[in-house]
Amino acid sequence: LTGSRLTTGLDQHSAEYAQHGLEIEADLRQRCPVSWSSNHGGFWAIASHSTLSQTLRDRDLCSSRKEFDENGARGGLMIPSNTGYRMVPDETDPPEWQDYRAILNPPFAPPAIPKLEPKIQAITSEVINAVIERGTVDLVRGIASPVTAITTLEILDLPFEDWKFYAETIHKTPYDGRNPVVKAGVAAIYAKIRRTVSERKVSPGNGLIDYLIRARVGGEPFPDNIIGDMIYQLLVGGFDTTGALLANAFWYLDDHRDEHKRLITDEKFLQTATEEFLRWGSPVIALGRTAKVEMELQGQRIEAGERMWMMYRSANHDPEVFENPEQVDLSRFPNRHVGFGMGIHRCPGSKLARAVFRAVVRQVLARMPDFAIDREESRRYPALPTVNGFITLPARFTPGPTVDSGFASGLPL
Ligand code: HEM
């Protein structure tokens, strides 16, 4: 620690952070819950639950807004800012943000989820049907990825056969987003979304895309680029974070077989377990903000315009709030985790994510009860700046029968 600013060498993009992130976060929380790092253009790391909550609850303190100019991008959720696209609504501020959330909340609100559940069940059944007779599966590429991707495409009303086109790029953006191949993949997704929006204006479908096209704010439709940015955010939100939640849960359950039966038979236990996996695994590790005003946090003076790194996983492992935070307690209650964020940008997809998570966990545990992960061959994301995911989780299990999923013609898996 040096100078008047508590300064550390925190580098969230480093291999060291990917390997020892929990220890690094524990050290920050203990020694300097608000600290400065000069890496990546300089940013404040906000590591404790109380400071993170206090800062994000007040919508006037921080900005999520991303802007583009001749030098590239400024602000937004990534540090350093990423160019090429903008997440809407996540990289916007009120009052603009308000218009987007007002439109996005209803389709993800609690009453909408029970209507989606039979479809989520059917997609999960069909995805497992495709592998159940084989006895081997990659729990990421063979289960978590297709279920989350196809469910999102179902909600948007986009063709299922494109799920790999979207998923292959989207799963790489969190850890390899600066790779030109991944950037070209994002550009191709945007081009496809733009084409689809134009087509759907002429021949409307029945999904969330069409709902966004029909939406009016003050009598005006959203511009096409905003609709595209919203669809991209929904694809990312729907695919990668829920996939990471499932992958972390499988990793844990592989090693804790005594808890499987209760997860399928005791709905309350499955509910508390879902929250505990969100806390412990923290699919979204951290995201950026920009200070809107000068503020003092934990004795550190933050200047307006400086970047801030909101460390959700660190907050979720804060011993001030969670007893034995490193211990997974699937009955933990209450569980004030910030796995879905905090403040105005808190995740609107949380109910959907929980529904997908439970459907997949129930069916995997019921239909492949002896699944065993090859831990040597499993691979986590090599860098963990934002999403705590796995690239692959190969597993074996005793083959079983297919079930009637309700899909007459199957899925393009
Ligand atoms: C386990 C799964 C998920 C996790 C852990 C998660 C996590 C988060 C977090 C932490 C935020 C807040 C970002 C911030 O601080 O700026 C967020 C925002 C958001 N999430 Fe999720 N999410 C999940 C699933 C989903 C799903 C399934 C959808 C929709 C298909 C979704 C759509 C969104 C959107 C649109 C926002 C932006 C909200 C805003 O800016 O007001 N997420 N999510």
Side-chain angles (χ1 to χ4, degrees):
L1 305 181
T2 56
S4 56
R5 292 185 163 194
L6 285 173
T7 303
T8 72
L10 177 66
D11 181 357
Q12 68 276 45
H13 295 274
S14 66
E16 195 205 351
Y17 186 69
Q19 274 168 28
H20 303 290
L22 288 172
E23 294 99 298
I24 293 170
E25 289 160 10
D27 185 49
L28 287 178
R29 276 192 312 269
Q30 207 195 346
R31 293 201 295 150
C32 43
V34 175
S35 63
W36 175 256
S37 166
S38 54
N39 288 319
H40 309 298
F43 64 92
W44 289 98
I46 312 297
S48 73
H49 194 285
S50 62
T51 316
L52 180 138
S53 312
Q54 175 200 339
T55 319
L56 288 176
R57 265 200 206 112
D58 183 341
R59 61 168 71 189
D60 296 326
L61 293 183
C62 303
S63 164
S64 297
R65 188 175 166 78
K66 181 150 83 183
E67 284 165 11
F68 297 98
D69 58 27
E70 62 285 0
N71 302 318
R74 275 186 296 127
L77 298 184
M78 300 298 147
I79 297 180
S81 308
N82 56 0
T83 52
Y85 59 91
R86 185 171 77 131
M87 301 268 211
V88 173
D90 222 351
E91 294 189 309
T92 69
D93 286 344
E96 188 192 2
W97 164 87
Q98 186 81 37
D99 294 340
Y100 309 134
R101 265 308 272 261
I103 298 294
L104 269 183
N105 280 344
F108 293 104
I113 305 305
K115 290 187 206 138
L116 286 169
E117 264 166 355
K119 257 283 148 49
I120 298 170
Q121 292 292 353
I123 292 168
T124 309
S125 299
E126 193 60 30
V127 166
I128 297 181
N129 278 352
V131 300
I132 193 76
E133 290 170 321
R134 275 193 228 147
T136 59
V137 66
D138 178 343
L139 291 167
V140 174
R141 291 189 189 127
I143 293 187
S145 179
V147 173
T148 53
I150 293 171
T151 302
T152 314
L153 297 181
E154 161 71 24
I155 293 168
L156 287 162
D157 191 13
L158 287 172
F160 290 165
E161 55 269 22
D162 292 332
W163 79 266
K164 277 189 193 155
F165 165 77
Y166 294 113
E168 269 163 23
T169 293
I170 286 173
H171 289 304
K172 287 184 189 142
T173 51
Y175 63 91
D176 205 13
R178 286 178 270 183
N179 178 333
V181 177
V182 178
K183 283 191 161 187
V186 173
I189 292 178
Y190 259 88
K192 197 175 189 71
I193 294 173
R194 265 197 303 275
R195 272 200 310 278
T196 309
V197 169
S198 308
E199 286 160 16
R200 295 289 267 270
K201 284 185 166 173
V202 182
S203 41
N206 213 3
L208 196 54
I209 287 202
D210 309 286
Y211 167 83
L212 294 175
I213 292 172
R214 285 196 310 272
R216 295 289 179 272
V217 175
E220 291 298 316
F222 288 123
D224 284 6
N225 66 317
I226 294 289
I227 297 177
D229 289 341
M230 284 203 253
I231 294 169
Y232 186 74
Q233 160 126 51
L234 292 170
L235 291 171
V236 171
F239 286 30
D240 205 48
T241 45
T242 317
L245 177 65
L246 280 163
N248 279 292
F250 290 141
W251 183 256
Y252 172 84
L253 292 171
D254 175 59
D255 218 15
H256 294 84
R257 308 213 148 247
D258 49 324
E259 296 186 285
H260 290 196
K261 189 149 179 248
R262 194 166 163 211
L263 284 169
I264 344 184
T265 54
D266 181 345
E267 184 60 28
K268 263 232 134 56
F269 186 57
L270 181 56
Q271 282 175 18
T272 54
T274 308
E275 302 314 305
E276 182 66 344
F277 286 125
L278 281 157
R279 182 195 72 81
W280 174 72
S282 294
V284 176
I285 293 187
L287 287 173
R289 293 286 190 271
T290 307
K292 269 197 205 172
V293 290
E294 183 187 309
M295 66 187 105
E296 188 167 316
L297 291 177
Q298 300 273 326
Q300 299 293 299
R301 196 206 312 268
I302 297 174
E303 306 289 344
E306 286 182 325
R307 310 274 3 243
M308 300 169 78
W309 190 236
M310 299 297 171
M311 303 179 73
Y312 291 128
R313 182 177 65 182
S314 179
N316 281 339
H317 287 247
D318 190 337
E320 292 285 318
V321 179
F322 304 101
E323 208 174 304
N324 298 325
E326 299 319 323
Q327 200 176 317
V328 177
D329 171 3
L330 297 186
S331 309
R332 192 185 287 273
F333 186 85
N335 192 335
R336 290 171 45 222
H337 69 78
V338 288
F340 286 120
M342 164 71 75
I344 63 167
H345 291 279
R346 191 177 180 282
C347 182
S350 62
K351 306 276 182 312
L352 171 64
R354 289 178 174 119
V356 172
F357 176 79
R358 284 175 203 150
V360 176
V361 167
R362 270 195 218 102
Q363 284 212 39
V364 165
L365 295 185
R367 296 178 65 190
M368 333 175 148
D370 62 351
F371 83 85
I373 293 177
D374 183 341
R375 295 174 92 89
E376 285 284 298
E377 290 301 314
S378 298
R379 293 279 170 273
R380 286 179 186 273
Y381 287 178
L384 299 178
T386 52
V387 179
N388 189 15
F390 279 82
I391 294 176
T392 176
L393 282 178
R396 294 187 172 280
F397 58 91
T398 304
T402 58
V403 296
D404 181 7
S405 70
F407 275 104
S409 53
L411 287 175
L413 293 165

